[in-house]
Amino acid sequence: MNHKPVKLSVNVDHVATLREARKEKFPDPSVCAIIAEHFGACGITCHLRLDRRHIKERDILKLKRIVKGELNIEMCSAKQMIDFALKVKPHWVTLVPEREGEVTTEGGLDVIKNFTRIKNAVKKLKTRKIKVSIFVEPNLKQLEQCFKTGCDAVELNTNSYAISKGKKKQRELLRLKKSARFAKERGLIVRAGHALNRQNLHGILEIGEIEEVSIGFALIADALVFGFQKAVQEYIRILERR
Ligand code: PXP
């Protein structure tokens, strides 16, 4: 069992969602990024969507200047996205699927079906020394293909675990555990994310292979009630309990 605390990358997308609701200049995701890092986040994540509905290119350029830890950009593998990443050179790119009109990312990347495209994207990003993570379902066949792309990390989709209850939740946790072990055995860094919150994080802490989680929506929602600093500190406190 790994007793190191799980690292937290704070996803600041929904700071930009609030700004865009009024087409204003505030709140600024960079300001929240500074607070998040100051109070213990290992880095900042944001998702550049094809419709640019929250995070814009200019947010990422600013984050690149101010983030002291690791900047992780989530994106689909469209050429315009990969080209932008090659220009900005974040520490990490997380490749995700994207369906037009989706409310949030709906599942992991189908690496089996899109193997050549994803492998090429990984190769391109790595030529610029950008580390690559793939957002994927906790499924051994998908993970085996991830490994074959040459990526550095996988981010296990925790959504099914997060939203299920009772025995199903235990089954989903087991699936995450087996997947994390499988990925780690192949030398991949193991991360997790999607729909995590203060209540469901405890299960994730049981999985020693998971080094980092990315949390957005629930943390931003908590920040509205408790303040951004307190919300970050509370997640860090939970993650340090491992
Ligand atoms: N990981 C990935 C790949 C995502 O697409 C998202 C949502 O943007 C998250 C993690 C964070 O999910 P949530 O906002 O539910 O914490």
Side-chain angles (χ1 to χ4, degrees):
M1 173 67 120
N2 182 357
H3 292 287
K4 273 201 211 154
V6 182
K7 292 187 282 179
L8 171 68
S9 183
V10 172
N11 180 317
V12 293
D13 289 354
H14 297 304
V15 180
T17 301
L18 183 57
R19 177 189 67 195
E20 294 307 313
R22 290 287 287 265
K23 300 279 173 250
E24 264 294 356
K25 292 195 172 58
F26 65 94
D28 182 347
S30 294
V31 172
C32 293
I34 292 168
I35 301 171
E37 287 199 303
H38 186 77
F39 289 99
C42 72
I44 300 298
T45 294
C46 61
H47 188 169
L48 187 66
R49 285 189 163 274
L50 290 166
D51 62 8
R52 312 295 196 273
R53 68 180 182 233
H54 39 51
I55 294 292
K56 319 275 186 207
E57 277 89 341
R58 65 171 193 273
D59 291 314
I60 294 179
L61 296 174
K62 198 166 173 188
L63 286 166
K64 167 76 182 173
R65 287 199 305 275
I66 61 112
V67 168
K68 293 198 174 81
E70 297 198 322
L71 176 62
N72 172 35
I73 311 181
E74 295 171 359
M75 57 174 58
C76 68
S77 59
K79 185 177 180 304
Q80 54 156 300
M81 292 292 169
I82 302 297
D83 286 349
F84 179 67
L86 294 173
K87 205 172 81 188
V88 176
K89 274 195 77 185
H91 299 94
W92 285 90
V93 161
T94 298
L95 295 171
V96 302
E98 189 169 332
R99 185 183 66 78
E100 205 185 321
E102 67 184 3
V103 171
T104 182
T105 312
E106 289 172 339
L109 250 183
D110 189 341
V111 191
I112 298 172
K113 204 164 147 194
N114 302 290
F115 182 73
T116 307
R117 182 184 180 83
I118 295 166
K119 189 174 180 216
N120 288 339
V122 171
K123 196 173 160 194
K124 261 194 181 171
L125 291 163
K126 287 184 69 77
T127 57
R128 295 280 284 158
K129 301 212 170 358
I130 300 166
K131 287 186 269 185
V132 186
S133 178
I134 299 177
F135 183 60
V136 68
E137 291 304 309
N139 169 300
L140 304 193
K141 288 194 177 126
Q142 290 287 349
L143 287 163
E144 183 64 34
Q145 290 308 104
C146 287
F147 170 67
K148 290 183 183 161
T149 66
C151 67
D152 303 278
V154 286
E155 180 181 333
L156 301 175
N157 182 5
T158 49
N159 189 58
S160 300
Y161 157 75
I163 64 171
S164 58
K165 293 189 173 68
K167 283 203 174 123
K168 175 134 193 324
K169 201 174 200 68
Q170 287 314 309
R171 280 202 300 276
E172 291 296 339
L173 189 59
L174 192 60
R175 209 152 72 89
L176 285 167
K177 282 181 183 168
K178 284 184 181 160
S179 299
R181 193 175 318 134
F182 183 87
K184 182 83 181 176
E185 279 167 5
R186 277 151 189 78
L188 295 166
I189 295 170
V190 187
R191 298 169 156 189
H194 213 277
L196 295 176
N197 59 34
R198 286 182 287 124
Q199 287 74 38
N200 61 30
L201 255 186
H202 62 271
I204 301 303
L205 301 184
E206 292 175 20
I207 309 176
E209 290 83 0
I210 293 178
E211 290 184 20
E212 186 179 317
V213 289
S214 141
I215 306 182
F217 187 79
L219 190 151
I220 303 296
D222 287 339
L224 290 175
V225 179
F226 306 117
F228 203 81
Q229 171 185 332
K230 284 220 172 91
V232 172
Q233 285 176 313
E234 180 58 12
Y235 280 83
I236 295 284
R237 192 185 66 78
I238 296 169
L239 294 169
E240 280 177 351
R241 261 196 234 147
R242 173 147 87 185

